[in-house]
Amino acid sequence: MSGVLHPVGPEEPETYWGRRVAIVVVVAVLAGLLTWLLVGSGGDQQTAPANPPPTPTPTATALGSSPTSSPSTTPADTSSPAATETPSANADSPSAASTKTASPSAAVGSSSPSATRSAKPATVTCNPAKLRSTLTGQKKISTGDKLAFDLSLINGTGVTCRLSVNPDRFELKVYSGTDRVWSSADCTSQVQPQTRVLKPEQAIEWTMKWNTERSAKQCKTKPGTQRPGVYVATAAYQGAKPVQLVMNLR
């Protein structure tokens, strides 16, 4: 015991005491480190749950699992800012206002000048050179007969056009050789003025009469009867090709 309290050796006592203090410090540090390791590992084992609950997966939620079986997903569905408020659903947003307000172009589209012109296209006057005239009636006649001539003008221009028939543009006349027997120009009331808009190949039609008498100005007739022979009726519209009907007077 005296050797412990009073070190014996060739060196100074302080040297032996310093060595002993160093050994004691090292032993104390090692003991403390060992104790900390044992206590720390034991605390971790006590706090960790033996059987941690399974983490819900998106597949289980998508297949219709009840909210009570996955409480961790319920707060996210009810408290999420994206679920309670969506900027695109705001009725006062510019996009929503644009859908409620009709665009100016759509509002005035129906009253634009182009729409008005297409609804009422301008109609041009028929080109007389493209008209086809027709003339039909009796070919064998007798003195005193009241003849009826059926006339028409067919639109052969290929476009819709306006056609007017009046005494200034149309004449029906009857000749025997070079003898002018009768003409509608002597009595303009024979030609009733009319105007029609004709589509391609449509026709304007009318009827005129002749009683085989010789005509004179101001709707008068000349006395006498017509001799038997060949008489030619000619229908002429100004600018169109004339058409004729040959008759035999017995």
Side-chain angles (χ1 to χ4, degrees):
M1 186 69 179
S2 61
V4 175
L5 297 177
H6 302 280
V8 179
E11 298 181 6
E12 295 293 330
E14 290 79 2
T15 302
Y16 294 105
W17 279 111
R19 293 176 179 175
R20 291 177 180 178
V21 171
I23 293 173
V24 171
V25 172
V26 171
V27 172
V29 172
L30 292 175
L33 180 60
L34 180 60
T35 302
W36 179 81
L37 291 175
L38 293 176
V39 174
S41 61
D44 293 340
Q45 293 177 355
Q46 290 177 359
T47 57
N51 295 316
T55 302
T57 61
T59 305
T61 304
L63 292 176
S65 59
S66 63
T68 58
S69 63
S70 56
S72 61
T73 59
T74 303
D77 294 339
T78 58
S79 62
S80 173
T84 57
E85 183 178 358
T86 303
S88 61
N90 188 358
D92 296 331
S93 65
S95 60
S98 64
T99 57
K100 294 180 181 179
T101 304
S103 62
S105 60
V108 301
S110 59
S111 59
S112 62
S114 60
T116 304
R117 288 195 299 269
S118 61
K120 295 181 179 180
T123 304
V124 298
T125 302
C126 295
N127 181 3
K130 299 293 184 179
L131 299 176
R132 299 196 306 273
S133 303
T134 66
L135 170 61
T136 59
Q138 293 178 240
K139 293 182 178 182
K140 293 181 179 182
I141 60 177
S142 300
T143 301
D145 287 348
K146 295 182 178 180
L147 307 177
F149 299 105
D150 295 322
L151 303 110
S152 73
L153 285 169
I154 303 171
N155 175 16
T157 63
V159 297
T160 300
C161 57
R162 182 179 63 256
L163 178 61
S164 297
V165 177
N166 54 62
D168 295 332
R169 300 185 65 88
F170 178 81
E171 180 184 7
L172 176 63
K173 53 191 175 182
V174 178
Y175 273 77
S176 176
T178 58
D179 182 17
R180 176 182 178 274
V181 178
W182 182 89
S183 172
S184 62
D186 292 337
C187 187
T188 56
S189 61
Q190 293 277 353
V191 182
Q192 297 296 325
Q194 55 179 322
T195 301
R196 286 187 57 188
V197 174
L198 303 177
K199 294 181 179 180
E201 299 304 318
Q202 280 190 334
I204 187 171
E205 302 174 343
W206 71 101
T207 301
M208 298 181 67
K209 295 181 180 181
W210 177 49
N211 59 4
T212 68
E213 294 181 348
R214 186 180 292 271
S215 66
K217 297 293 184 179
Q218 299 179 351
C219 297
K220 295 180 179 180
T221 59
K222 295 180 179 180
T225 58
Q226 307 306 319
R227 297 179 179 179
V230 176
Y231 291 77
V232 179
T234 303
Y237 184 83
Q238 185 177 1
K241 184 178 180 179
V243 62
Q244 293 181 334
L245 173 65
V246 178
M247 302 173 291
N248 290 314
L249 178 63
R250 295 174 296 183

